[in-house]
Amino acid sequence: MIRPAIDQPEVLPLAEGVASARIVLRRYRVGDGAALFDALAPHREELMQWMEWPRRHQRVEDSESYARRMHAEFILRRSMPMAIFDGDGVRYLGGAGFHVPDWNTPKVEIGYFLVPPARGTGIASDVVRLQVHYAFDQMQVNRIWGSCDAANDASAGVMRRAGMKEEGLLRADTRDHHGTVRDTRVFGLTFNDYAGWTAAHGVPDLRYLPLQP
């Protein structure tokens, strides 16, 4: 089954986010900057091993600016970053989202990170599973995919445990923010995979969050 192109994604009635018993994954809101900054600040240098952008969060105002810009990007459906909170929606655990959706195909790339205290308990794979549900149920895409540095075994393991299919290795694919040319591993799922994936890897206590103003 192939889904049609989405001509006006701005009016697509998307949920505020998606949650399980222990994780809330939702769009950024005005006021999220303080929680984001407090979670990033102690771990900025470690996070920059794989990502360049944490260096731009030097003040609370930097993080609040980011939260507001990402809130706007979500509304416009140009990029759809989300915040990861614990099940009570209080403690910021990291970020995830959907990078520059291609609404013509439609397809979307996922991304994710956790601050170090949230790692090691399977949260990252659970986040990816929530992203898969959100992309196919809410965004109506035909394909979801993700990639990581071929040397980042932890990130590759997250996608494998979440049930995404490893599709290939792109050699000398890109130059990272350290100036090193790297290989890239690619993982993906199609809408035709979704029913089987749900039976094997779906989130049983899944719930969607109503849209907030």
Side-chain angles (χ1 to χ4, degrees):
M1 178 180 176
I2 299 297
R3 291 164 144 181
I6 298 173
D7 295 328
Q8 295 178 307
E10 300 84 2
V11 298
L12 192 65
L14 298 179
E16 178 86 355
V18 58
S20 66
R22 68 170 180 161
I23 303 168
V24 174
L25 177 64
R26 63 157 174 83
R27 68 172 175 167
Y28 281 94
R29 298 172 184 164
V30 172
D32 280 340
L36 171 59
F37 180 80
D38 288 346
L40 288 181
H43 309 290
R44 189 181 298 112
E45 295 303 317
E46 192 275 345
L47 290 168
M48 287 179 60
Q49 177 182 2
W50 304 111
M51 304 177 293
E52 182 274 340
W53 64 266
R55 72 175 176 81
R56 297 194 289 273
H57 292 255
Q58 299 294 325
R59 304 174 303 151
V60 173
E61 290 82 1
D62 299 330
S63 298
E64 180 62 21
S65 173
Y66 174 85
R68 295 184 183 211
R69 284 184 286 109
M70 295 308 101
H71 180 86
E73 289 289 297
F74 188 100
I75 292 171
L76 295 171
R77 312 291 195 250
R78 293 191 305 214
S79 184
M80 297 170 60
M82 292 179 163
I84 306 167
F85 286 88
D86 62 11
D88 295 329
V90 175
R91 186 165 64 99
Y92 184 91
L93 304 179
F98 306 95
H99 303 313
V100 193
D102 169 1
W103 295 108
N104 185 56
T105 302
K107 65 181 179 180
V108 69
E109 179 188 6
I110 63 168
Y112 50 85
F113 81 94
L114 293 178
V115 293
R119 298 174 187 168
T121 61
I123 288 176
S125 290
D126 285 353
V127 167
V128 173
R129 292 160 67 206
L130 290 176
Q131 288 180 287
V132 171
H133 281 299
Y134 191 93
F136 287 128
D137 291 344
Q138 296 285 316
M139 298 173 70
Q140 303 296 305
V141 299
N142 284 309
R143 169 174 166 77
I144 179 173
W145 66 282
S147 67
C148 66
D149 189 320
N152 191 341
D153 293 333
S155 188
V158 164
M159 286 185 275
R160 291 187 185 108
R161 288 190 295 274
M164 295 190 71
K165 298 183 178 182
E166 190 162 357
E167 296 181 330
L169 177 70
L170 306 178
R171 296 176 298 164
D173 173 56
T174 190
R175 189 180 298 275
D176 67 18
H177 61 288
H178 301 296
T180 302
V181 174
R182 62 166 233 201
D183 297 342
T184 300
R185 295 195 185 279
V186 179
F187 298 79
L189 290 168
T190 71
F191 183 58
N192 289 333
D193 299 324
Y194 186 44
W197 176 89
T198 300
H201 301 282
V203 178
D205 53 354
L206 179 79
R207 59 187 174 89
Y208 287 106
L209 309 180
L211 188 65
Q212 300 294 315

